[in-house]
Amino acid sequence: MRTVLITGVGGSGRTTVAAATALATARSGQRTLLLSTDRAGALDEVFHPAGPAPAAEPTAETAPAPWSPPTELAPRLWVARIATPEYFRSELASVQERARSVLDYLGASAVAAEEATELPGADAFALMATLRAVHQAADRAAAARAAGGPPRGWDVLVVDLPPAPEAIRLLGLPEQLGRYLRRLLPAERQASRALHPMLAQLAGVPVPAQRLYETFGRWQEDLAAVRQIIESDAVTVRLVAEPGPLAARALRAARAGLALHGCRVDAVIANRLLPVGSADPWLAAASGQQQAALKELREACGRGPAAPEHAAAETTGGGPARIPVPGIPVREVPHSGRDPRGLADLGPLADAVGPVDARPDRPAAEPWTVEDRLADEGLLVWRLPLDGAERDDLSLVRRGDELVVTVGEFRRVLPLPSALRRCTVAGAGLHEGALRVRFAPDPRLWPRDH
């Protein structure tokens, strides 16, 4: 399922751009679902100037999902919100039921649904559950259409995410949680659970029941499924910013964080651009400052006059030539003079943003590559694309068979490829948007030539 994640600088009009993107995509003939994490009613203001739209009636397809029943607001355009409170209460009840034996032994009483208040971070878990549920619903609808059924489901999902720093940490959460679960409940401990009933009788202490292990297993499956969605070629990110003194720097940091987690940016939306050539001195000065920031933003994205559209091929020692990825397109959205309210106001913005393009729903190619330079330099080089990263913001730590990479405020633990696990780190360097980590074979572990 084609999915576009909208994020960017806080206060830059992300929700409005997400709504315009969804509207443009629906007008292009694709059945589109706009999913929002916003609780402040911004979508109600954009789509319904007179007040919120009436809720749609739940159906067999949407009622079990962790989002509100989608409401069709325009031809081929549906809007829904993530139902975080309901999702949290449902998951809490499920965990308490599966851990009932432990709770009874400790003398703990379960939290009733009516007194359950969602905890910080519940939005992230609800969003992950919703992403999976929407994709599952789309797969079922596609199968039904292929069997001759009526057109149902959606072709494109547009997600209105929080500001970039929070969104990037959210996109890295499935991998991080999966790693923590594997550490807390390794495979060998799960394999020994057949002995637990006997151990419980000997010790007189209840041990985690089979249903609790099943809960952990379900969480791991859910996290793996969400990771598979995020890592698909059909999922891209659009960054929104209002050009200003700090916009280029903020977007550069966002691009680096997204690249660290393997997310692909398909466009940057320069929002709320003021008209140029005004006779009013104040407006002319503000527009001039904005145009200067827009130029810097374009150059940072590789689309400015000083940056070539297609750079020369980069040749790596002992390997084929690599053609760098072209720069990120920057789409300009003019300031409408007021906050858009209703489909009539969204129309011009939808024309400026444009519809979502088609992309194959398949696993994305592995972005990290190993270059074999053993013959010439006695090294293996791990190439990590980190578009937007700056040297002073980078930090590397080798920890066993993992490499901990920190870019600014973002961190990711990367498992080393098998060949690099038998090597020692010989150095690293950042060049043309890629971090190259050099590894020298460890004579104690590397196979000797005979």
Side-chain angles (χ1 to χ4, degrees), residues 374-392:
L374 290 174
D376 298 331
E377 305 175 26
L379 296 172
L380 295 173
V381 180
W382 201 16
R383 186 177 184 275
L384 313 177
L386 292 177
D387 181 40
E390 296 182 341
R391 192 183 309 273
D392 294 340

Side-chain angles (χ1 to χ4, degrees), residues 289-307:
Q289 183 185 45
Q290 198 176 60
Q291 288 297 313
L294 177 61
K295 179 182 178 182
E296 182 183 1
L297 190 152
R298 282 184 168 277
E299 292 175 351
C301 293
R303 291 278 179 172

Side-chain angles (χ1 to χ4, degrees), residues 22-23 26-27 32 47-48 71-79 343:
L23 179 60
R27 287 179 173 179
T32 305
F47 284 110
H48 303 284
T71 302
E72 187 172 10
L73 299 183
R76 297 178 297 277
L77 173 60
W78 286 261
V79 176
L343 294 175

Side-chain angles (χ1 to χ4, degrees), residues 257-354:
L258 290 167
L260 177 63
H261 291 287
C263 300
R264 295 152 297 282
V265 178
D266 68 357
V268 170
I269 309 298
N271 197 25
R272 299 173 182 157
L273 291 178
L274 300 172
V276 297
S278 173
D280 180 84
W282 183 90
L283 184 58
S287 175
Q289 183 185 45
Q290 198 176 60
Q291 288 297 313
L294 177 61
K295 179 182 178 182
E296 182 183 1
L297 190 152
R298 282 184 168 277
E299 292 175 351
C301 293
R303 291 278 179 172
E309 183 79 9
H310 297 282
E314 171 197 349
T315 304
T316 58
R322 296 182 182 276
I323 305 298
V325 178
I328 303 169
V330 178
R331 300 181 183 177
E332 302 179 12
V333 178
H335 202 302
S336 59
R338 59 189 178 90
D339 292 334
R341 303 190 70 188
L343 294 175
D345 288 352
L346 271 182
L349 300 182
D351 294 337
V353 172

Side-chain angles (χ1 to χ4, degrees), residues 59-310:
T59 65
E61 179 178 309
T62 60
W67 74 85
S68 64
T71 302
E72 187 172 10
L73 299 183
R76 297 178 297 277
L77 173 60
W78 286 261
V79 176
R81 291 178 184 81
I82 295 174
T84 301
E86 293 81 355
Y87 170 79
F88 177 80
R89 287 192 288 268
S90 173
E91 287 296 301
L92 179 62
S94 175
V95 171
Q96 291 183 141
E97 176 62 27
R98 293 174 185 272
R100 181 179 297 275
S101 62
V102 176
L103 294 176
D104 291 343
Y105 175 78
L106 296 175
S109 58
V111 178
E114 56 269 16
E115 63 176 318
T117 303
E118 62 193 87
L119 298 176
D123 286 323
F125 291 95
L127 175 58
M128 288 190 296
T130 304
L131 278 177
R132 187 183 186 192
V134 170
H135 277 257
Q136 288 176 331
D139 292 341
R140 291 194 299 269
R145 290 198 301 268
R152 299 185 66 182
W154 306 281
D155 306 309
V156 177
L157 171 64
V158 179
V159 185
D160 174 26
L161 289 179
E166 183 180 350
I168 294 170
R169 285 189 285 269
L170 190 152
L171 293 173
L173 190 59
E175 180 181 77
Q176 293 175 354
L177 288 178
R179 181 172 177 271
Y180 294 157
L181 284 177
R182 289 191 297 271
R183 293 283 295 274
L184 293 172
L185 200 66
E188 56 271 18
R189 183 175 298 175
Q190 297 187 49
S192 67
R193 62 189 180 190
L195 300 175
H196 284 184
M198 180 179 66
L199 295 176
Q201 291 180 358
L202 293 175
V205 177
V207 294
Q210 174 72 18
R211 296 181 65 188
L212 196 56
Y213 281 101
E214 292 174 353
T215 299
F216 277 97
R218 179 171 60 86
W219 287 348
Q220 289 177 325
E221 291 178 2
D222 291 344
L223 292 171
V226 175
R227 279 193 63 189
Q228 185 177 5
I229 292 171
I230 295 174
E231 294 172 357
S232 169
D233 260 340
V235 177
T236 56
V237 179
R238 289 191 178 180
L239 294 172
V240 183
E242 183 176 349
L246 302 179
R249 182 174 182 82
L251 288 184
R252 184 180 293 110
R255 286 163 44 214
L258 290 167
L260 177 63
H261 291 287
C263 300
R264 295 152 297 282
V265 178
D266 68 357
V268 170
I269 309 298
N271 197 25
R272 299 173 182 157
L273 291 178
L274 300 172
V276 297
S278 173
D280 180 84
W282 183 90
L283 184 58
S287 175
Q289 183 185 45
Q290 198 176 60
Q291 288 297 313
L294 177 61
K295 179 182 178 182
E296 182 183 1
L297 190 152
R298 282 184 168 277
E299 292 175 351
C301 293
R303 291 278 179 172
E309 183 79 9
H310 297 282

